[in-house]
Amino acid sequence: MAVEAHRHCAICGRPIPMEESFCSDQCQEAYQLKQKQVSKQRKMLLVLAVIFIVVYIFFVIKPF
């Protein structure tokens, strides 16, 4: 017994046709929301790293 070619929804894991990425609009919206959250976290990490580097340089170069 052969299984038809398919892929799985990135959010819920349901089988879907090969040409689709999500099984429903709800799953697509959940994926987009998660991507926005990840992007926001990366930006915050970058900002914190820049702040840390600036403070570090300030204390290293600061004359006594």
Side-chain angles (χ1 to χ4, degrees), residues 10-11 22 28-42:
I11 299 299
F22 304 99
Q28 186 172 8
E29 289 171 7
Y31 180 80
Q32 290 172 345
L33 178 63
K34 187 168 185 99
Q35 290 299 326
K36 285 181 184 179
Q37 290 172 343
V38 168
S39 176
K40 185 177 179 181
Q41 289 174 347
R42 286 181 182 164

Side-chain angles (χ1 to χ4, degrees), residues 4-19:
E4 236 180 87
H6 67 279
R7 45 192 312 187
H8 294 267
C9 177
I11 299 299
C12 66
R14 290 184 190 150
I16 55 176
M18 291 294 290
E19 59 274 356

